[in-house]
Amino acid sequence: MEIKIGITDVPREVTLESDESPEDIASKLRETLSQPDGVLTLTDPKGRTILVPTRTIAYLDLGQPNARPVGFGTV
């Protein structure tokens, strides 16, 4: 699933892929927003970790789950 994070005072959004469900990510966000200096931690399928201080999050766009790839190659 594609996740887009809008960050205050930054013109571009941060985009990443995730294998987690939208419900899990929303739950993580709610939990970190309840902390005074919370940090949202997300991991992409390649194992990279993204840390975003919640005080800078303007919005979080949870896209649709990944669709099957189209084409002739095998995955």
Side-chain angles (χ1 to χ4, degrees), residues 7-29:
I7 301 183
T8 57
D9 300 325
V10 177
R12 295 182 62 190
E13 59 195 12
V14 175
T15 304
L16 67 131
E17 292 290 324
S18 178
D19 292 333
E20 296 183 61
S21 71
E23 294 80 18
D24 290 341
I25 295 170
S27 175
K28 279 186 182 182
L29 180 62

Side-chain angles (χ1 to χ4, degrees), residues 26-39 54-55:
S27 175
K28 279 186 182 182
L29 180 62
R30 281 188 211 97
E31 182 181 326
T32 56
L33 284 174
S34 67
Q35 302 168 3
D37 289 324
V39 176
T54 54
R55 67 183 180 286

